[in-house]
Amino acid sequence: MNSARLLRRCLFTTLSVALVASAAVAPTHAAPRSAAAVTFSDTFDGAAGSGVDPAKWQTETGDNVDNHERQYYTQGTDNARLDGQGHLVIEARRENPGNYQCWYGSCEYTSARLNTSGRFTATYGHVEARMKIPRGQGIWPAFWMLGQDIGDVGWPESGEIDVMENVGFEPSTVHGTLHGPGYSGSGGIGAAYTLPNGQAFADDFHTFAVDWAPDSITWSVDGTVYQTRTPADLGGNRWVFDKPFFLIMNLAVGGYWPGDPDGSTSFPQQLVVDEVTVTTSG
């Protein structure tokens, strides 16, 4: 795959994204999990137009020069709000009502990015999100995790687990990737999963998940496993996934990997999140 991914970094004001896919296991169905304890859950119940639960999520703000993304991530409910029907809607718009300034000048788009840093971290478990992703050239939704120690050790030493990323020019395909010291950016370790018969991920909700254990991370879509990664895949580089990670959801616009929107891209575009859950095996 010809991708120009750079890097994801912890922002808290400006953050970035990256990955590369490689060969993986043939798709199989995930084994049923034993009794599990829910350690984090958000079903996004609440009044239409209200914000996310601040005890679970914080909203990042700013632009992202590292990947040359085009959006400005805003606070409040303009770009991230509940719909009153049990969903979170993260919306990318072609607008700049706040006169936000981006790395390239006056920002052309707004969107939102949420994380659980300082509110929730996990070390191992089943991490999943049920989402309906947007579509269109230059649109880049993601559900992913960063090591909580990123503020101390930086990226990619912190480690990054990309549960799901999609770029709009691949409507039938999502990617799952690991980044760490010696395997970051375009050297990330991962694979792609493609829906059969030309189906598009934007047409319906799908469940994107990882099963994360010591020395093993397995990715699945709707219960179908498409890759497992272990320290043996890292070419002698260090495995940095045995520590707390926090969750991130965002909807980027443009950047090196997806390319910029063009005349075929309609706005607004929405990443609709039905549920995010983290469980540990019983």
Side-chain angles (χ1 to χ4, degrees), residues 204-223:
D204 204 350
F205 284 91
H206 294 273
T207 299
F208 307 101
V210 293
D211 284 283
W212 172 24
D215 294 337
S216 175
I217 301 176
T218 296
W219 283 255
S220 63
V221 175
D222 298 329

Side-chain angles (χ1 to χ4, degrees), residues 87-116:
H87 304 120
L88 166 65
V89 178
I90 300 176
E91 186 168 86
R93 300 178 178 179
R94 183 186 280 126
E95 65 173 14
N96 187 359
N99 193 30
Y100 303 115
Q101 296 301 299
C102 287
W103 59 269
Y104 56 88
S106 180
C107 302
E108 299 170 345
Y109 307 91
T110 60
S111 191
R113 174 170 173 152
L114 312 175
N115 73 57
T116 66

Side-chain angles (χ1 to χ4, degrees), residues 1 5 19-21 162-167 170 173-177 191-193 219 226-227 257:
M1 170 185 141
R5 308 174 195 159
L19 67 62
V20 122
D162 298 330
V163 183
M164 181 282 298
E165 293 191 89
N166 167 265
V167 284
E170 295 180 331
T173 300
V174 293
H175 300 262
T177 311
Y193 176 84
W219 283 255
Y226 69 96
Q227 70 168 328
W257 184 26

Side-chain angles (χ1 to χ4, degrees), residues 165-263:
E165 293 191 89
N166 167 265
V167 284
F169 60 79
E170 295 180 331
S172 301
T173 300
V174 293
H175 300 262
T177 311
L178 295 180
H179 298 273
Y183 49 102
S184 62
S186 61
I189 305 297
Y193 176 84
T194 300
L195 288 171
N197 304 318
Q199 299 172 64
F201 276 102
D203 290 338
D204 204 350
F205 284 91
H206 294 273
T207 299
F208 307 101
V210 293
D211 284 283
W212 172 24
D215 294 337
S216 175
I217 301 176
T218 296
W219 283 255
S220 63
V221 175
D222 298 329
T224 297
V225 171
Y226 69 96
Q227 70 168 328
T228 295
R229 298 295 171 181
T230 71
D233 292 304
L234 305 185
N237 291 306
R238 285 191 302 111
W239 179 266
V240 291
F241 307 101
D242 297 312
K243 60 185 178 182
F245 277 64
F246 61 90
L247 310 178
I248 307 168
M249 299 184 293
N250 69 289
L251 177 52
V253 179
Y256 287 121
W257 184 26
D260 290 341
D262 60 21

